Every structure is written in C-alpha cells, then in structure tokens.
Amino acid sequence: MRVIIKNDKDAVADWAANYVAFRIKEFKPTRTKPFVLGLPTGSTPLGMYANLIKLFQAHKISFENVVTFNMDEYIGLEPSHPQSYHYFMQENFFKYIDIKPENIHILDGMTKNYMKECADFEAAMKAVGGVHLFIGGVGEDGHIAFNEPFSSLQSRTRIKTLTQSTIRANSRFFDHDLSKVPTQALTVGIGTIMDAKEVLILATGKNKAKALHHGIEEGVSHVWTVSELQRHPHGIIVCDKEATDELSPETVEYFLDIERNNF
Ligand code: GLP
C-alpha cells in the first residue's frame, strides 16, 4: 500500500484531482474504450471534485469518455432530495463537466427490488470491463462506502443497515436530527471495490486518525473494513497530517521518505 501524506486537506484535494486527471489522460479513453471511475460522496472528496472541475474548465481534462459508478446511495431518498447522493454528484461535479448522462451509474435508493438493483449494478460494471480507479473516503469507524464494521471483506453490492456511529456522523447533513438520517443504504461491497485495478482512499482531519491507524498499521480485519486495502495490489491512501495523528512516528517517517519524489 502507498500512503501519501500532505500538509492539509487542500493539498490532498489537489493531489487527488491531479492523480485522477493523470490516470484518465494516460489511458487515452475513447467511446469504445472508456476509462471507468468509482466515485465517493461525503465532505472529504469535495475539494477533489472542485479541482477536477477547474482542470476541465482549463481544458486540461475531458470526461467525455469516462464511465462512473458511485459507491452508494441512501434508501428512501428521491434523487432530487438535497442529501441524496444523486443530488450531491449532480450539484458538486456532474453538472459542471462533459460527462454523458448515460455514462453515470448511481444505485437507485427508491427501488422496490434491492436485489435486482444491486445485481444490475454489478453487471453494468462487469459489462464495461471493471473499474480502473475506485476512489473512496473513509468513515470514522473505518468503513468504506457503507461497508460498516463486520461487513464481509468479500461482500458485493447489497443493502446495508447503518450503524449509530455513521448515522450520528452523517446527521450533520440532516439538520443534526438523527431521525432524519436514513437507516439503510445500497452500497458496493468491499469485494466490489477491491476488484478495481487501483483503489484510492482519501482521508483528512483528526477524526479519521483512528481509522488510518487500524487501516495501515493493524492487521486486515472486518472490524475496520478499510484495512482490506492492505491486500490490494495497487492501494493508495492520500491523507493530511492531522489524519496521521494516530500512526507511529516511524510509519509517518517511512512514508514521507519513500514517497518524497513520487506523484
Ligand atoms: C459516508 C459515505 C462514505 C464516506 C463517509 C465519510 O458514510 N457513505 O462513502 O466515505 O461517509 O464521509 P466524510 O468524507 O464526510 O467524512
């Protein structure tokens, strides 16, 4: 696993956007050979999306031949609900770039048939040849997408019940009213994410420090699902200094040293 440590969240956003742009350009996507991106929501990736929009506006990157799959969606929120992940993606990214609507895939949290919705999502990923780069954030309890503690590390796209910790953390988007936060979501599985050719996890702030400690320095465990990244051949965590607060000084020094000349 690579761990890229940046000074602050702006530097993380900058690095992540440039890395995504670099990967897309290097791939030279075409209509018949699109680049496939897995995308997260949450507050952490907002800066990355803002920077990608700037790169697009400066004609440095195009999303015309990019296909996207979002990680997750709440159950019971209409796409027009301001806290739905459909709405988030539209408002924070898609409406500013040249992505084709038919290339966007987001799970339908209003479906009546969860099993079919999830199976169709996995099939659509397979049909385009899999995800090249899956980007994610991480929850305070180490979850990626909505793969809460004790999720199977081989899980696929499915319905999950959210933990109180996640409901509490996400209530800030719902007027701090726990009762307004959906209690279930559709989410890609850990196995789905790990099938991607490359996985990039973004983590900023002190509240992610424990998750990074468990994800990087402890063993692979379903308790901290982000730790499965240790077994991915091309896993990267890009984080700010605050998020490394619970890593040992030796670990921090090691990664600062080994990554000092790398993109
Ligand atoms: C939610 C999302 C995750 C996200 C996590 C952290 O639970 N399902 O995909 O990584 O929140 O969000 P934030 O970046 O706002 O801390």
Side-chain angles (χ1 to χ4, degrees), residues 40-45 71-72 74 85 136-140 143-146 166 170 172-173 207-208:
T41 55
S43 41
T44 315
M71 297 188 119
D72 44 18
Y74 288 116
Y85 289 169
V138 60
E140 290 175 24
H143 72 250
I144 46 178
F146 270 126
T166 297
N170 292 1
R172 68 190 195 279
F173 302 114
N207 57 334
K208 304 298 167 72

PDB file of all heavy atoms in Angstrom, residues 40-45 71-72 74 85 136-140 143-146 166 170 172-173 207-208, ligand 1:
ATOM      1  N   PRO A  40     -16.873   8.534  -4.829  1.00  0.00           N
ATOM      2  CA  PRO A  40     -17.463   8.670  -3.499  1.00  0.00           C
ATOM      3  C   PRO A  40     -18.233   9.974  -3.322  1.00  0.00           C
ATOM      4  O   PRO A  40     -18.102  10.911  -4.120  1.00  0.00           O
ATOM      5  CB  PRO A  40     -16.233   8.714  -2.603  1.00  0.00           C
ATOM      6  CG  PRO A  40     -15.222   9.475  -3.425  1.00  0.00           C
ATOM      7  CD  PRO A  40     -15.536   9.200  -4.890  1.00  0.00           C
ATOM      8  N   THR A  41     -18.996  10.029  -2.242  1.00  0.00           N
ATOM      9  CA  THR A  41     -19.583  11.298  -1.807  1.00  0.00           C
ATOM     10  C   THR A  41     -18.969  11.630  -0.442  1.00  0.00           C
ATOM     11  O   THR A  41     -17.930  11.091  -0.098  1.00  0.00           O
ATOM     12  CB  THR A  41     -21.115  11.176  -1.694  1.00  0.00           C
ATOM     13  OG1 THR A  41     -21.381  10.072  -0.828  1.00  0.00           O
ATOM     14  CG2 THR A  41     -21.756  10.948  -3.045  1.00  0.00           C
ATOM     15  N   GLY A  42     -19.606  12.495   0.317  1.00  0.00           N
ATOM     16  CA  GLY A  42     -19.067  12.885   1.621  1.00  0.00           C
ATOM     17  C   GLY A  42     -18.345  14.218   1.509  1.00  0.00           C
ATOM     18  O   GLY A  42     -18.191  14.758   0.407  1.00  0.00           O
ATOM     19  N   SER A  43     -17.896  14.739   2.640  1.00  0.00           N
ATOM     20  CA  SER A  43     -17.236  16.044   2.588  1.00  0.00           C
ATOM     21  C   SER A  43     -15.787  15.929   2.121  1.00  0.00           C
ATOM     22  O   SER A  43     -15.254  16.866   1.519  1.00  0.00           O
ATOM     23  CB  SER A  43     -17.315  16.748   3.940  1.00  0.00           C
ATOM     24  OG  SER A  43     -17.105  15.830   4.971  1.00  0.00           O
ATOM     25  N   THR A  44     -15.143  14.794   2.376  1.00  0.00           N
ATOM     26  CA  THR A  44     -13.724  14.672   2.021  1.00  0.00           C
ATOM     27  C   THR A  44     -13.451  14.898   0.528  1.00  0.00           C
ATOM     28  O   THR A  44     -12.526  15.642   0.195  1.00  0.00           O
ATOM     29  CB  THR A  44     -13.163  13.304   2.469  1.00  0.00           C
ATOM     30  OG1 THR A  44     -13.607  13.055   3.804  1.00  0.00           O
ATOM     31  CG2 THR A  44     -11.644  13.282   2.410  1.00  0.00           C
ATOM     32  N   PRO A  45     -14.213  14.282  -0.391  1.00  0.00           N
ATOM     33  CA  PRO A  45     -13.855  14.447  -1.807  1.00  0.00           C
ATOM     34  C   PRO A  45     -14.273  15.774  -2.439  1.00  0.00           C
ATOM     35  O   PRO A  45     -13.954  16.018  -3.611  1.00  0.00           O
ATOM     36  CB  PRO A  45     -14.563  13.274  -2.490  1.00  0.00           C
ATOM     37  CG  PRO A  45     -15.689  12.916  -1.605  1.00  0.00           C
ATOM     38  CD  PRO A  45     -15.302  13.287  -0.221  1.00  0.00           C
ATOM     39  N   MET A  71     -20.356   4.844  -5.285  1.00  0.00           N
ATOM     40  CA  MET A  71     -20.229   3.782  -4.277  1.00  0.00           C
ATOM     41  C   MET A  71     -21.539   3.379  -3.633  1.00  0.00           C
ATOM     42  O   MET A  71     -21.770   2.224  -3.319  1.00  0.00           O
ATOM     43  CB  MET A  71     -19.360   4.280  -3.113  1.00  0.00           C
ATOM     44  CG  MET A  71     -17.970   4.603  -3.474  1.00  0.00           C
ATOM     45  SD  MET A  71     -17.042   4.928  -1.976  1.00  0.00           S
ATOM     46  CE  MET A  71     -15.824   3.638  -2.085  1.00  0.00           C
ATOM     47  N   ASP A  72     -22.389   4.375  -3.381  1.00  0.00           N
ATOM     48  CA  ASP A  72     -23.534   4.067  -2.525  1.00  0.00           C
ATOM     49  C   ASP A  72     -24.656   5.089  -2.674  1.00  0.00           C
ATOM     50  O   ASP A  72     -24.488   6.128  -3.325  1.00  0.00           O
ATOM     51  CB  ASP A  72     -23.078   3.977  -1.058  1.00  0.00           C
ATOM     52  CG  ASP A  72     -22.119   5.095  -0.657  1.00  0.00           C
ATOM     53  OD1 ASP A  72     -22.052   6.116  -1.363  1.00  0.00           O
ATOM     54  OD2 ASP A  72     -21.428   4.962   0.371  1.00  0.00           O
ATOM     55  N   TYR A  74     -28.391   6.317  -0.239  1.00  0.00           N
ATOM     56  CA  TYR A  74     -29.335   6.071   0.852  1.00  0.00           C
ATOM     57  C   TYR A  74     -30.612   5.447   0.313  1.00  0.00           C
ATOM     58  O   TYR A  74     -31.069   5.791  -0.786  1.00  0.00           O
ATOM     59  CB  TYR A  74     -29.736   7.389   1.512  1.00  0.00           C
ATOM     60  CG  TYR A  74     -28.661   8.040   2.347  1.00  0.00           C
ATOM     61  CD1 TYR A  74     -28.137   9.280   1.985  1.00  0.00           C
ATOM     62  CD2 TYR A  74     -28.209   7.441   3.518  1.00  0.00           C
ATOM     63  CE1 TYR A  74     -27.171   9.908   2.767  1.00  0.00           C
ATOM     64  CE2 TYR A  74     -27.242   8.066   4.300  1.00  0.00           C
ATOM     65  CZ  TYR A  74     -26.730   9.294   3.922  1.00  0.00           C
ATOM     66  OH  TYR A  74     -25.793   9.898   4.699  1.00  0.00           O
ATOM     67  N   TYR A  85     -27.332  11.028  -2.707  1.00  0.00           N
ATOM     68  CA  TYR A  85     -26.023  11.039  -3.373  1.00  0.00           C
ATOM     69  C   TYR A  85     -26.164  11.351  -4.868  1.00  0.00           C
ATOM     70  O   TYR A  85     -25.226  11.847  -5.488  1.00  0.00           O
ATOM     71  CB  TYR A  85     -25.284   9.721  -3.098  1.00  0.00           C
ATOM     72  CG  TYR A  85     -24.814   9.601  -1.648  1.00  0.00           C
ATOM     73  CD1 TYR A  85     -24.338   8.396  -1.142  1.00  0.00           C
ATOM     74  CD2 TYR A  85     -24.831  10.694  -0.781  1.00  0.00           C
ATOM     75  CE1 TYR A  85     -23.892   8.293   0.181  1.00  0.00           C
ATOM     76  CE2 TYR A  85     -24.395  10.600   0.532  1.00  0.00           C
ATOM     77  CZ  TYR A  85     -23.926   9.401   1.009  1.00  0.00           C
ATOM     78  OH  TYR A  85     -23.475   9.300   2.310  1.00  0.00           O
ATOM     79  N   GLY A 136     -12.415   6.505  -2.867  1.00  0.00           N
ATOM     80  CA  GLY A 136     -13.314   6.438  -1.719  1.00  0.00           C
ATOM     81  C   GLY A 136     -12.876   7.359  -0.608  1.00  0.00           C
ATOM     82  O   GLY A 136     -11.743   7.844  -0.591  1.00  0.00           O
ATOM     83  N   GLY A 137     -13.809   7.602   0.313  1.00  0.00           N
ATOM     84  CA  GLY A 137     -13.448   8.256   1.561  1.00  0.00           C
ATOM     85  C   GLY A 137     -13.397   7.160   2.621  1.00  0.00           C
ATOM     86  O   GLY A 137     -13.434   5.968   2.297  1.00  0.00           O
ATOM     87  N   VAL A 138     -13.332   7.553   3.870  1.00  0.00           N
ATOM     88  CA  VAL A 138     -13.372   6.554   4.939  1.00  0.00           C
ATOM     89  C   VAL A 138     -14.166   7.123   6.110  1.00  0.00           C
ATOM     90  O   VAL A 138     -14.057   8.323   6.410  1.00  0.00           O
ATOM     91  CB  VAL A 138     -11.939   6.108   5.334  1.00  0.00           C
ATOM     92  CG1 VAL A 138     -11.086   7.260   5.824  1.00  0.00           C
ATOM     93  CG2 VAL A 138     -11.957   4.999   6.384  1.00  0.00           C
ATOM     94  N   GLY A 139     -14.982   6.289   6.715  1.00  0.00           N
ATOM     95  CA  GLY A 139     -15.745   6.730   7.884  1.00  0.00           C
ATOM     96  C   GLY A 139     -14.873   6.714   9.134  1.00  0.00           C
ATOM     97  O   GLY A 139     -13.792   6.115   9.138  1.00  0.00           O
ATOM     98  N   GLU A 140     -15.356   7.335  10.191  1.00  0.00           N
ATOM     99  CA  GLU A 140     -14.578   7.371  11.439  1.00  0.00           C
ATOM    100  C   GLU A 140     -14.344   5.964  11.985  1.00  0.00           C
ATOM    101  O   GLU A 140     -13.353   5.700  12.661  1.00  0.00           O
ATOM    102  CB  GLU A 140     -15.314   8.213  12.492  1.00  0.00           C
ATOM    103  CG  GLU A 140     -15.306   9.681  12.131  1.00  0.00           C
ATOM    104  CD  GLU A 140     -16.119  10.538  13.093  1.00  0.00           C
ATOM    105  OE1 GLU A 140     -16.322  10.127  14.245  1.00  0.00           O
ATOM    106  OE2 GLU A 140     -16.549  11.626  12.662  1.00  0.00           O
ATOM    107  N   HIS A 143     -15.145   2.505   7.873  1.00  0.00           N
ATOM    108  CA  HIS A 143     -15.932   1.939   6.769  1.00  0.00           C
ATOM    109  C   HIS A 143     -15.585   2.617   5.444  1.00  0.00           C
ATOM    110  O   HIS A 143     -15.238   3.791   5.415  1.00  0.00           O
ATOM    111  CB  HIS A 143     -17.445   2.001   7.049  1.00  0.00           C
ATOM    112  CG  HIS A 143     -18.065   3.356   6.984  1.00  0.00           C
ATOM    113  ND1 HIS A 143     -18.516   4.021   8.099  1.00  0.00           N
ATOM    114  CD2 HIS A 143     -18.356   4.170   5.933  1.00  0.00           C
ATOM    115  CE1 HIS A 143     -19.052   5.174   7.737  1.00  0.00           C
ATOM    116  NE2 HIS A 143     -18.964   5.298   6.422  1.00  0.00           N
ATOM    117  N   ILE A 144     -15.638   1.832   4.379  1.00  0.00           N
ATOM    118  CA  ILE A 144     -15.537   2.433   3.049  1.00  0.00           C
ATOM    119  C   ILE A 144     -16.855   2.149   2.308  1.00  0.00           C
ATOM    120  O   ILE A 144     -17.433   1.092   2.469  1.00  0.00           O
ATOM    121  CB  ILE A 144     -14.278   1.992   2.247  1.00  0.00           C
ATOM    122  CG1 ILE A 144     -14.049   0.494   2.291  1.00  0.00           C
ATOM    123  CG2 ILE A 144     -13.042   2.716   2.748  1.00  0.00           C
ATOM    124  CD1 ILE A 144     -12.830   0.059   1.440  1.00  0.00           C
ATOM    125  N   ALA A 145     -17.294   3.131   1.532  1.00  0.00           N
ATOM    126  CA  ALA A 145     -18.674   3.164   1.014  1.00  0.00           C
ATOM    127  C   ALA A 145     -19.570   3.045   2.248  1.00  0.00           C
ATOM    128  O   ALA A 145     -19.370   3.794   3.201  1.00  0.00           O
ATOM    129  CB  ALA A 145     -18.908   2.098  -0.038  1.00  0.00           C
ATOM    130  N   PHE A 146     -20.516   2.096   2.293  1.00  0.00           N
ATOM    131  CA  PHE A 146     -21.271   1.915   3.532  1.00  0.00           C
ATOM    132  C   PHE A 146     -20.992   0.519   4.095  1.00  0.00           C
ATOM    133  O   PHE A 146     -21.869  -0.120   4.673  1.00  0.00           O
ATOM    134  CB  PHE A 146     -22.772   2.136   3.309  1.00  0.00           C
ATOM    135  CG  PHE A 146     -23.217   3.562   3.511  1.00  0.00           C
ATOM    136  CD1 PHE A 146     -23.927   4.230   2.512  1.00  0.00           C
ATOM    137  CD2 PHE A 146     -22.938   4.243   4.691  1.00  0.00           C
ATOM    138  CE1 PHE A 146     -24.348   5.547   2.690  1.00  0.00           C
ATOM    139  CE2 PHE A 146     -23.353   5.563   4.874  1.00  0.00           C
ATOM    140  CZ  PHE A 146     -24.052   6.214   3.879  1.00  0.00           C
ATOM    141  N   THR A 166     -22.352   5.902  12.227  1.00  0.00           N
ATOM    142  CA  THR A 166     -22.467   6.517  10.903  1.00  0.00           C
ATOM    143  C   THR A 166     -23.670   7.464  10.854  1.00  0.00           C
ATOM    144  O   THR A 166     -23.582   8.570  10.302  1.00  0.00           O
ATOM    145  CB  THR A 166     -22.591   5.414   9.819  1.00  0.00           C
ATOM    146  OG1 THR A 166     -21.380   4.652   9.858  1.00  0.00           O
ATOM    147  CG2 THR A 166     -22.795   5.989   8.438  1.00  0.00           C
ATOM    148  N   ASN A 170     -23.307  11.345  10.017  1.00  0.00           N
ATOM    149  CA  ASN A 170     -23.953  11.908   8.828  1.00  0.00           C
ATOM    150  C   ASN A 170     -25.133  12.824   9.158  1.00  0.00           C
ATOM    151  O   ASN A 170     -25.665  13.496   8.279  1.00  0.00           O
ATOM    152  CB  ASN A 170     -24.388  10.789   7.873  1.00  0.00           C
ATOM    153  CG  ASN A 170     -23.176  10.085   7.260  1.00  0.00           C
ATOM    154  OD1 ASN A 170     -22.039  10.435   7.580  1.00  0.00           O
ATOM    155  ND2 ASN A 170     -23.395   9.133   6.394  1.00  0.00           N
ATOM    156  N   ARG A 172     -25.052  15.533  10.492  1.00  0.00           N
ATOM    157  CA  ARG A 172     -24.716  16.943  10.251  1.00  0.00           C
ATOM    158  C   ARG A 172     -25.289  17.443   8.921  1.00  0.00           C
ATOM    159  O   ARG A 172     -25.462  18.634   8.726  1.00  0.00           O
ATOM    160  CB  ARG A 172     -23.209  17.167  10.328  1.00  0.00           C
ATOM    161  CG  ARG A 172     -22.401  16.523   9.218  1.00  0.00           C
ATOM    162  CD  ARG A 172     -20.912  16.630   9.561  1.00  0.00           C
ATOM    163  NE  ARG A 172     -20.030  16.356   8.443  1.00  0.00           N
ATOM    164  CZ  ARG A 172     -19.698  15.132   8.049  1.00  0.00           C
ATOM    165  NH1 ARG A 172     -20.201  14.069   8.663  1.00  0.00           N
ATOM    166  NH2 ARG A 172     -18.878  14.961   7.027  1.00  0.00           N
ATOM    167  N   PHE A 173     -25.568  16.504   8.020  1.00  0.00           N
ATOM    168  CA  PHE A 173     -26.177  16.896   6.742  1.00  0.00           C
ATOM    169  C   PHE A 173     -27.707  16.918   6.825  1.00  0.00           C
ATOM    170  O   PHE A 173     -28.388  17.269   5.874  1.00  0.00           O
ATOM    171  CB  PHE A 173     -25.750  15.943   5.621  1.00  0.00           C
ATOM    172  CG  PHE A 173     -24.254  15.876   5.435  1.00  0.00           C
ATOM    173  CD1 PHE A 173     -23.550  14.711   5.710  1.00  0.00           C
ATOM    174  CD2 PHE A 173     -23.549  16.982   4.998  1.00  0.00           C
ATOM    175  CE1 PHE A 173     -22.179  14.648   5.540  1.00  0.00           C
ATOM    176  CE2 PHE A 173     -22.174  16.933   4.823  1.00  0.00           C
ATOM    177  CZ  PHE A 173     -21.487  15.761   5.099  1.00  0.00           C
ATOM    178  N   ASN A 207     -10.403  13.312  12.979  1.00  0.00           N
ATOM    179  CA  ASN A 207     -11.417  12.281  13.248  1.00  0.00           C
ATOM    180  C   ASN A 207     -11.225  11.027  12.392  1.00  0.00           C
ATOM    181  O   ASN A 207     -11.923  10.043  12.597  1.00  0.00           O
ATOM    182  CB  ASN A 207     -12.843  12.851  13.085  1.00  0.00           C
ATOM    183  CG  ASN A 207     -13.075  13.427  11.716  1.00  0.00           C
ATOM    184  OD1 ASN A 207     -12.132  13.853  11.042  1.00  0.00           O
ATOM    185  ND2 ASN A 207     -14.314  13.448  11.279  1.00  0.00           N
ATOM    186  N   LYS A 208     -10.302  11.058  11.448  1.00  0.00           N
ATOM    187  CA  LYS A 208     -10.026   9.857  10.646  1.00  0.00           C
ATOM    188  C   LYS A 208      -8.749   9.152  11.107  1.00  0.00           C
ATOM    189  O   LYS A 208      -8.349   8.129  10.553  1.00  0.00           O
ATOM    190  CB  LYS A 208      -9.909  10.221   9.148  1.00  0.00           C
ATOM    191  CG  LYS A 208     -11.125  10.931   8.575  1.00  0.00           C
ATOM    192  CD  LYS A 208     -12.376  10.060   8.657  1.00  0.00           C
ATOM    193  CE  LYS A 208     -13.665  10.808   8.391  1.00  0.00           C
ATOM    194  NZ  LYS A 208     -13.861  11.188   7.016  1.00  0.00           N
TER     195      LYS A 208
HETATM  196  C1  GLP B   1     -20.437   8.184   4.377  1.00  0.00           C
HETATM  197  C2  GLP B   1     -20.215   7.612   2.986  1.00  0.00           C
HETATM  198  C3  GLP B   1     -18.771   7.186   2.792  1.00  0.00           C
HETATM  199  C4  GLP B   1     -17.847   8.306   3.227  1.00  0.00           C
HETATM  200  C5  GLP B   1     -18.031   8.566   4.696  1.00  0.00           C
HETATM  201  C6  GLP B   1     -17.133   9.664   5.222  1.00  0.00           C
HETATM  202  O1  GLP B   1     -20.745   7.229   5.325  1.00  0.00           O
HETATM  203  N1  GLP B   1     -21.043   6.517   2.680  1.00  0.00           N
HETATM  204  O2  GLP B   1     -18.569   6.871   1.426  1.00  0.00           O
HETATM  205  O3  GLP B   1     -16.512   7.933   2.973  1.00  0.00           O
HETATM  206  O4  GLP B   1     -19.387   8.975   4.882  1.00  0.00           O
HETATM  207  O5  GLP B   1     -17.621  10.904   4.881  1.00  0.00           O
HETATM  208  P1  GLP B   1     -16.873  12.280   5.052  1.00  0.00           P
HETATM  209  O6  GLP B   1     -15.941  12.383   3.894  1.00  0.00           O
HETATM  210  O7  GLP B   1     -17.945  13.299   5.005  1.00  0.00           O
HETATM  211  O8  GLP B   1     -16.157  12.223   6.346  1.00  0.00           O
END
